[in-house]
Amino acid sequence: MSKTILITGAASGFGKIAAFDLAKKGHKVIATTQVYPQVSDLIRESKESGVELIVDKLDVTNTRDIEYIIGKYDIDILISNAGIMEGGPIAEQPLELIRSMFDVNVFGGLQLSQGFIKKWIDQKKPAKIVFTTSMGALWTVPYVAAYCASKHAMESIAEGLKTELAAFDIKIATCNPGVFGTGFNDRGVDSIFRWYNPEKNFTPPTAFEGAAESLKNQLDPQSMADTIVNVALDENSNFRNVHPKDTEDFVKQLQADAWTAKS
């Protein structure tokens, strides 16, 4: 059965791939982007590809955008995928950058979800929300701790929603990507050097030497987009969906090791 699915952060990465794939499967897809130039680019690309998408602007930090979108569209599934990453040592990272991540990654996604949840309950309509979180929602990656904190928060919110909304037949799931080559991780590393100054900050430049190496072998994002699509459409999906399996195993081991870690 065809579903109406709204995806945030669909201008690039997993959101864009999932939007095209879901539309090709015959679903009605509302692909949203942060700014109007991205709307125009996505409309053009969908037409060139022969894929039918509804494209609209949705900045998840803009309450007017959120209210407009909730009022305009009746949907069955929300894929809350919009996110940003600002890297750097959390002991020195400017607080305004950390706040900006929480505004997008936590409060924006939650405000949009709350609006659709209220609408679904008023309509007595079964529905589903899929949150794109991160492997960093389940462990803390050095020098992107603040980003991980925002994803930890969203994972906790999702788990709370899962329990609280079960009686209303609203299902909740998270998708937790490992390291994929969408450009997202690269830009997160780049963001450090827009404020970090080795002459002023106490964190030594050597702390970042492994960053480029860690991003050399990023995975094809198609398989993660496939996971998001499958979770969204599966009425009996797992709540937590870490991909790939190697990352899932790694995270589970880190979580076990945390119980014996020293301060």
Side-chain angles (χ1 to χ4, degrees):
M1 183 182 295
S2 177
K3 300 287 188 181
T4 301
I5 303 166
L6 189 141
I7 306 177
T8 68
S12 62
F14 305 133
K16 181 178 179 180
I17 298 170
F20 276 76
D21 288 354
L22 285 162
K24 289 174 184 176
K25 290 178 182 291
H27 299 282
K28 180 180 178 181
V29 177
I30 301 112
T32 69
T33 72
Q34 181 186 11
V35 295
Y36 281 120
Q38 295 171 329
V39 170
S40 300
D41 289 344
L42 197 55
I43 290 172
R44 183 182 66 252
E45 188 170 345
S46 65
K47 287 181 177 177
E48 289 172 352
S49 302
V51 174
E52 188 173 343
L53 287 180
I54 298 169
V55 184
D56 214 332
K57 176 186 178 293
L58 172 55
D59 178 347
V60 297
T61 67
N62 185 317
T63 294
R64 287 189 299 275
D65 274 9
I66 289 174
E67 290 175 349
Y68 169 81
I69 290 292
I70 292 166
K72 183 175 181 179
Y73 298 108
D74 286 319
I75 65 173
D76 303 299
I77 300 169
L78 169 62
I79 299 178
S80 183
N81 173 74
I84 60 171
M85 179 195 291
E86 295 279 353
I90 196 168
E92 301 191 85
Q93 192 171 16
L95 282 179
E96 66 266 25
L97 298 181
I98 298 174
R99 287 193 182 99
S100 72
M101 278 189 288
F102 273 78
D103 280 343
V104 176
N105 298 350
V106 182
F107 300 120
L110 177 57
Q111 185 178 359
L112 181 66
S113 298
Q114 285 180 334
F116 275 117
I117 289 164
K118 177 67 164 58
K119 192 172 183 178
W120 290 328
I121 290 173
D122 288 345
Q123 295 170 339
K124 296 181 171 57
K125 180 177 182 176
K128 186 169 189 175
I129 303 175
V130 179
F131 294 100
T132 304
T133 59
S134 171
M135 67 176 187
L138 304 172
W139 73 292
T140 303
V141 184
Y143 302 105
V144 286
Y147 167 76
C148 292
S150 72
K151 292 300 187 177
H152 275 68
M154 202 66 245
E155 192 82 15
S156 181
I157 287 167
E159 195 162 354
L161 291 173
K162 176 178 72 72
T163 303
E164 295 169 8
L165 298 175
F168 300 99
D169 201 14
I170 297 172
K171 298 181 184 298
I172 307 292
T174 66
C175 288
N176 309 66
V179 183
F180 287 88
T182 63
F184 184 84
N185 299 307
D186 307 76
R187 302 296 77 78
V189 171
D190 292 345
S191 69
I192 300 170
F193 303 102
R194 297 183 67 86
W195 61 268
Y196 170 78
N197 183 342
E199 295 180 2
K200 296 180 179 179
N201 296 102
F202 59 75
T203 302
T206 53
F208 311 118
E209 287 178 353
E213 186 66 29
S214 69
L215 297 178
K216 272 186 178 179
N217 299 308
Q218 297 183 78
L219 302 171
D220 182 346
Q222 181 66 57
S223 69
M224 188 66 228
D226 290 344
T227 298
I228 293 170
V229 167
N230 292 337
V231 169
L233 298 179
D234 184 354
E235 294 186 2
N236 195 36
S237 71
N238 288 344
F239 164 71
R240 179 170 292 145
N241 301 272
V242 181
H243 181 74
K245 183 64 166 57
D246 288 350
T247 299
E248 178 183 340
D249 294 341
F250 177 67
V251 169
K252 286 178 178 177
Q253 186 58 56
L254 285 172
Q255 290 178 329
D257 292 346
W259 290 97
T260 56
K262 304 299 182 183
S263 63

